[in-house]
Amino acid sequence: MKAVILAGGLGTRISEETDTKPKPMVEIGGKPILWHIMKIYSAHGVNDFVICCGYKGYQIKEYFANYFLYMSDVTFDMSKNTMDVHQRSAEPWRVTLVDTGESTMTGGRLKRVAEHIQGDDAFCLTYGDGVSDVNITELIAFHKAQNVQATLTATLPPGRFGALEFNGNKVNKFMEKPKGDGAMINGGFFVLSPKVLDRIGGDDTIWERGPLETLAADGQLAAFQHTGFWQPMDTLRDKIHLEELWASGQAPWKVWK
C-alpha cells in the first residue's frame, strides 16, 4: 500500500522555522518530522510514499537525493573525484516527489497525484506535520472491514493549559494539560479509496471541507478511534515539546526499532 503525505503548506504558525524551510523539513532530534512520519508507516510495512510538495519543495527533493550522505559515513577522494559509502543505512523506501504547487489546497494536492494512486484498491493519506503511535496495521484492517470510501483517525487533541476544579474559592483539583474536552477530532492518518478523488474539484478544493463533508453525508466516512499519543507540530511550542520527548528517549511515536 502507498502512503500519500501532504508536505506543501507554508506553516505560517511556526514561521520561526519555516522562513527558511518547508514545515515537513523542520527537525525533531536532528531528523525532519517528515522522516519520523515515514518511519511510523514503514514500521507497519508501508514503504511506498508519494509526497505532495509545494512551498520550498526543492529542499525535500534535495534531502532524498542526498539521503546516503546524511545517513552514512563517506570518503571523498578529491584527486580521483570519487565517493565511497562505508555504511549504507538505507531505508526500504520508494519515494515519489510531486510538485503540487505553492498555493494549492489540501484536496487539490491529492488530486494532482491521482496518477500515482489510481490503480490501487486503497491508499493511506496523512499530513506532513504530525506524529502518533496509531497502529497503522489495525487502521488499514479496520478500513477494509467498513466497506466505505474513507476512514479517518479520530483522536483527542492534546491539552494546552492546566485545568482547575473549584470548591468555592479553593482549588480542589489541578490537572496539568488534560486532553481536550472529551470531543474527538480529525487526526489525519486516513485510509482512502481512489474513488474519493471524484469528489475533489481542483486546486482550490480543501480536503477537510467539501470532500470529507460529502463523504460523511453519504455514509462513506468511518472513524478509527485512537486514544493514544497524537501531536501536531503547529507552533514552536509544539516543536519544543516533541524535541523534549525525543531527547528523553520516551517519544511515544517511535514505534520502530
Side-chain angles (χ1 to χ4, degrees):
M1 185 174 287
K2 294 175 183 173
V4 177
I5 303 177
L6 298 172
L10 295 175
T12 54
R13 285 182 289 180
I14 192 172
S15 59
E16 300 91 341
E17 292 275 350
T18 56
D19 276 347
T20 58
K21 66 184 71 170
K23 192 176 181 184
M25 294 303 292
V26 174
E27 294 184 351
I28 303 298
K31 299 285 197 309
I33 192 169
L34 177 62
W35 178 88
H36 291 263
I37 295 166
M38 294 169 73
K39 290 287 284 186
I40 293 168
Y41 277 101
S42 189
H44 292 275
V46 179
N47 293 303
D48 196 343
F49 298 95
V50 179
I51 300 177
C52 303
C53 301
Y55 172 69
K56 295 186 182 296
Y58 65 89
Q59 292 189 18
I60 301 176
K61 293 178 181 179
E62 289 173 354
Y63 176 76
F64 286 105
N66 295 308
Y67 194 78
F68 267 138
L69 291 179
Y70 296 131
M71 302 299 290
S72 304
D73 296 330
V74 295
T75 296
F76 295 98
D77 189 326
M78 311 306 286
S79 64
K80 297 179 181 178
N81 193 28
T82 61
M83 178 184 76
D84 293 325
V85 179
H86 301 298
Q87 178 184 342
R88 298 181 179 273
S89 301
E91 305 287 351
W93 296 345
R94 182 176 186 269
V95 186
T96 301
L97 299 143
V98 182
D99 181 3
T100 56
E102 283 210 4
S103 58
T104 308
M105 297 292 102
T106 48
R109 293 191 191 282
L110 180 55
K111 187 84 167 182
R112 285 206 185 193
V113 300
E115 64 181 288
H116 300 286
I117 51 179
Q118 280 285 18
D120 302 338
D121 292 332
F123 64 94
C124 297
L125 169 71
T126 197
Y127 304 106
D129 62 354
V131 288
S132 175
D133 61 357
V134 59
N135 189 315
I136 301 295
T137 301
E138 291 182 1
L139 168 63
I140 293 171
F142 175 86
H143 170 78
K144 291 180 177 178
Q146 302 308 304
N147 193 30
V148 294
Q149 292 182 16
T151 297
L152 59 75
T153 297
T155 189
L156 294 169
R160 297 279 183 183
F161 306 100
L164 306 175
E165 285 188 7
F166 296 97
N167 181 9
N169 292 326
K170 292 185 178 180
V171 175
N172 60 14
K173 188 173 184 181
F174 176 82
M175 295 175 288
E176 175 62 11
K177 297 180 180 178
K179 286 190 174 184
D181 60 0
M184 302 192 93
I185 63 169
N186 167 27
F189 293 95
F190 301 91
V191 183
L192 307 171
S193 162
K195 293 178 181 178
V196 303
L197 298 173
D198 296 335
R199 299 172 184 264
I200 300 172
D203 285 356
D204 294 334
T205 302
I206 299 172
W207 167 246
E208 299 78 9
R209 294 186 184 170
L212 279 188
E213 289 172 354
T214 61
L215 283 163
D218 294 344
Q220 288 294 321
L221 179 61
F224 179 78
Q225 296 189 29
H226 173 65
T227 57
F229 179 84
W230 176 84
Q231 177 67 57
M233 189 183 64
D234 287 334
T235 65
L236 186 58
R237 175 186 291 181
D238 294 334
K239 171 186 157 49
I240 293 170
H241 176 55
L242 291 171
E243 283 277 16
E244 290 172 345
L245 287 173
W246 185 261
S248 73
Q250 301 296 319
W253 70 91
K254 187 180 182 298
V255 294
W256 61 92
K257 296 180 180 180

